[in-house]
């Protein structure tokens, strides 16, 4: 028999359940009094788009779906691997986006963005309708030549920051003095073109201090790389004879890899590593393929709005999109997110889009904690793609003096902290 006390408990529980159900239904059904934009992916692209949509149009309902409650940035992840920063330095969360900007953040895995029904389908079966969607799925890896899923536990790529970052750092710390650190650098296109070479630089900085008899070999799947002259000048000055770079044309191309035993087969020889940092070739994140947004490995977009060329009302930004000449970088994703947010707000209000939109990219790399280099560019988006604006931007000069490199290293830290403040604060 139910007494009064138990009845009240059930009543309270029912009210709470009803409220939860209503909250869920509210998020699923389209609102009648305002527009809704659903964003999938909470990295440089997605989190920036969410914040700037609210800044441009506070009345728009913005829902950000990101399965992880914490986000570890790839930029400055190399400083964690080399022991210059703790992992906490690159960890960020979404609390300010929720509390200050009133963005609804849902931590669930997305199964698919369905362009036919204009809904985002979650792994738990829930469907969330949208007027416009932004997809920022980042990258996924090509498993080939013996490097299969699970190989990361022996030969980490550490190209998605977090657990892999810490594993590679641990392996580096445990490597004997006189050991060989081997990196396999990916073929174009891939996330953060200077990233592998900054990593090698900072690994060399660590080894020079702690294990000076060690050496580094880079087996590259291409014949040249971003900021090559500046990196090689820095290596010659700071780490003379420690780093050996082999281009694809001259012994760098990998034919097969044994990740567990850390052996790489090339045309010339089998290379044995004490630490093998294998960075696979890359493609758009899995969600882009599951949602039908890809043509080949990447997502074609109208570069003025970043709306998919394949599915209406879905915008793809960041590493997954085809936005050349812009490199796949955190700053590019941040810049594309702002343009996508601005154009979406104008489209939802039946206004003309900004034409042509201007975008930018700036990329700092550390060759040592007090030795920085940079490249920057400004772009315009046109009907036939994105072009660099002549005379805007530039590259660090060769043969710069010590004070110049120190200053650029300080700018690099400021760049990172300002980017994080721009996105998450």
């Amino acid at each position: 028999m139910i007494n009064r006390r138990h009845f009240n408990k059930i009543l309270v529980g029912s009210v709470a359940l009803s409220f939860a159900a209503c909250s869920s239904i509210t998020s699923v059904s389209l609102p009648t009094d305002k527009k809704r934009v659903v964003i999938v992916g909470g990295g440089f692209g997605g989190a920036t788009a969410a914040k700037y949509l609210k800044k441009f149009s506070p009345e728009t309902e913005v829902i950000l779906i990101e399965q992880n409650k914490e986000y570890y940035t790839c930029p400055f992840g190399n400083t964690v691997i080399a022991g210059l920063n703790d992992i906490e330095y690159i960890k960020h969360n979404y609390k300010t986006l929720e509390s200050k900007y009133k963005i609804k953040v849902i931590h669930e895995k997305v199964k698919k963005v369905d362009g036919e029904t204009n809904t985002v389908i979650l792994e738990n079966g829930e469907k969330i309708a949208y007027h416009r969607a932004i997809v920022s799925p980042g990258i996924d890896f090509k498993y080939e030549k013996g490097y299969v899923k699970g190989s990361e536990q022996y030969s980490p790529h550490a190209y998605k920051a977090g657990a892999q970052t810490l594993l590679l750092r641990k392996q580096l710390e445990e490597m004997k003095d006189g050991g060989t650190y081997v990196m396999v650098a990916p073929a174009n296109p891939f996330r953060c073109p200077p990233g592998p070479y900054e990593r090698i630089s900072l690994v060399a900085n660590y080894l020079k201090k702690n294990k000076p008899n060690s050496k580094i070999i880079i087996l590259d799947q291409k014949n040249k790389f971003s900021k090559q002259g500046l990196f090689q000048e820095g290596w010659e000055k700071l780490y003379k004879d420690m780093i050996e770079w082999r281009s694809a044309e001259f012994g760098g191309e990998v034919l097969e890899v044994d990740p567990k035993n850390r052996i790489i087969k090339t045309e010339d020889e089998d290379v044995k590593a004490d630490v093998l940092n294998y960075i696979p070739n890359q493609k758009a994140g899995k969600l882009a393929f599951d949602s039908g947004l890809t043509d080949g490995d990447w997502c074609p977009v109208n570069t003025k709005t970043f709306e998919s060329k394949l599915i209406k009302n879905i915008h793809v930004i960041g590493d997954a999109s085809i936005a050349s000449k812009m490199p796949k970088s955190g700053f590019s994703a941040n810049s594309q997110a702002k343009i996508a947010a601005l154009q979406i707000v104008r489209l939802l209000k039946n206004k003309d889009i900004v034409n042509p939109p201007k975008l930018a990219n700036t990329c700092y790399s550390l060759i040592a904690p007090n030795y920085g280099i940079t490249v920057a560019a400004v772009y315009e988006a046109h009907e036939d793609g994105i072009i660099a604006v002549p005379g805007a931007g530039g590259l660090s000069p060769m043969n710069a003096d010590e004070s110049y490199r120190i200053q650029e290293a300080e700018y690099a830290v400021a760049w990172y902290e300002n980017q994080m403040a721009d996105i998450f604060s």
Side-chain angles (χ1 to χ4, degrees):
M1 181 176 178
I2 301 176
N3 60 28
R4 183 182 180 86
R5 185 178 175 188
H6 283 119
F7 177 79
N8 286 338
K9 279 187 176 178
I10 292 171
L11 181 62
V12 170
S14 299
V15 170
L17 185 61
S18 299
F19 179 77
C22 286
S23 297
S24 178
I25 289 169
T26 299
S27 70
V28 173
S29 306
L30 273 177
T32 57
D33 58 339
K34 56 188 171 186
K35 300 295 186 182
R36 173 187 290 164
V37 180
V38 178
I39 302 164
V40 182
F44 274 74
T48 302
K51 177 176 172 178
Y52 276 82
L53 272 165
K54 273 296 190 184
K55 288 172 77 78
F56 295 147
S57 178
E59 69 276 14
T60 299
E61 182 185 12
V62 177
I63 299 175
L64 175 63
I65 307 174
E66 164 56 49
Q67 63 176 320
N68 301 307
K69 293 185 177 179
E70 292 166 338
Y71 174 66
Y72 296 89
T73 64
C74 280
F76 270 69
N78 290 332
T79 69
V80 178
I81 292 168
L84 300 175
N85 282 310
D86 190 79
I87 191 79
E88 293 295 314
Y89 186 66
I90 61 169
K91 185 174 79 174
H92 306 275
N93 62 52
Y94 304 94
K95 292 179 180 176
T96 303
L97 295 182
E98 287 183 288
S99 62
K100 183 175 179 180
Y101 296 97
K102 309 305 178 189
I103 295 163
K104 185 177 294 183
V105 180
I106 298 174
H107 295 294
E108 291 286 348
K109 189 172 182 180
V110 172
K111 182 177 181 181
K112 178 184 177 182
V113 181
D114 187 346
E116 291 189 3
T117 59
N118 282 7
T119 56
V120 175
I121 304 172
L122 307 183
E123 283 282 350
N124 64 12
E126 188 176 5
K127 297 181 179 179
I128 303 174
Y130 61 79
H131 292 97
R132 294 265 172 178
I134 297 177
V135 178
S136 187
I139 57 163
D140 206 346
F141 300 105
K142 294 182 177 181
Y143 292 95
E144 53 194 1
K145 300 181 181 179
Y147 195 83
V148 299
K149 287 188 177 180
S151 296
E152 294 92 340
Q153 64 181 308
Y154 308 109
S155 302
H157 52 71
Y159 230 59
K160 287 185 178 179
Q164 285 274 300
T165 307
L166 293 176
L167 176 59
L168 186 56
R169 174 173 171 167
K170 181 173 183 289
Q171 291 187 352
L172 182 62
E173 290 172 344
E174 292 176 349
M175 190 178 89
K176 65 184 179 186
D177 187 14
T180 302
Y181 181 105
V182 179
M183 169 187 281
V184 173
N188 291 324
F190 65 98
R191 165 182 281 174
C192 191
Y197 313 97
E198 180 193 67
R199 179 176 297 174
I200 285 301
S201 303
L202 296 183
V203 166
N205 183 262
Y206 170 85
L207 293 176
K208 183 178 178 181
K209 293 176 185 172
N210 298 284
K211 301 166 187 184
N213 298 307
S214 304
K215 67 176 182 179
I216 296 171
I217 298 174
I218 309 170
L219 300 174
D220 214 324
Q221 307 313 290
K222 51 194 174 297
N223 291 321
K224 58 183 181 180
F225 60 88
S226 176
K227 306 182 201 170
Q228 183 169 348
L230 289 166
F231 274 112
Q232 290 182 322
E233 180 187 66
W235 295 346
E236 180 66 23
K237 284 182 179 176
L238 302 178
Y239 314 119
K240 193 172 178 61
D241 298 329
M242 179 178 276
I243 300 171
E244 179 185 353
W245 175 70
R246 300 180 188 175
S247 67
E249 188 178 11
F250 294 104
E253 184 177 358
V254 173
L255 302 180
E256 193 174 347
V257 60
D258 177 351
K260 189 171 184 178
N261 294 303
R262 296 167 184 156
I263 298 173
I264 310 100
K265 182 178 181 59
T266 70
E267 192 171 273
D268 297 331
E269 63 174 316
D270 290 353
V271 180
K272 178 75 172 76
D274 293 285
V275 173
L276 175 55
N277 179 195
Y278 189 98
I279 305 174
N281 293 336
Q282 295 165 25
K283 57 185 178 180
K286 183 175 181 297
L287 179 66
F289 286 87
D290 293 344
S291 303
L293 294 165
T294 53
D295 182 8
D297 287 336
W298 307 99
C299 303
V301 295
N302 176 335
T303 48
K304 290 184 179 181
T305 61
F306 288 88
E307 184 173 10
S308 167
K309 287 185 175 179
L310 303 179
I311 303 179
K312 284 182 64 65
N313 300 331
I314 301 178
H315 302 249
V316 185
I317 57 175
D319 296 338
S321 68
I322 300 173
S324 56
K325 299 291 187 176
M326 295 188 80
K328 299 183 184 301
S329 73
F331 198 105
S332 289
N334 175 273
S335 183
Q336 293 165 16
K338 291 171 181 172
I339 292 301
L342 177 63
Q343 305 288 44
I344 286 172
V345 167
R346 298 185 72 82
L347 288 167
L348 291 175
K349 295 181 177 179
N350 296 316
K351 294 182 177 179
D352 292 337
I353 62 170
V354 174
N355 187 22
K358 289 185 170 56
L359 303 105
N361 178 60
T362 302
C363 176
Y364 284 92
S365 302
L366 293 173
I367 296 180
N370 59 354
Y371 190 118
I373 57 176
T374 187
V375 62
V378 178
Y379 305 89
E380 278 186 354
H382 295 273
E383 293 294 339
D384 52 352
I386 295 174
I387 61 170
V389 176
L395 188 67
S396 296
M398 296 286 290
N399 302 311
D401 61 27
E402 183 179 355
S403 64
Y404 193 98
R405 300 301 187 209
I406 291 172
Q407 192 172 49
E408 289 228 282
E410 293 171 349
Y411 289 163
V413 176
W415 171 92
Y416 178 74
E417 295 182 352
N418 283 326
Q419 279 274 289
M420 294 305 97
D422 182 45
I423 299 170
F424 294 104
S425 297

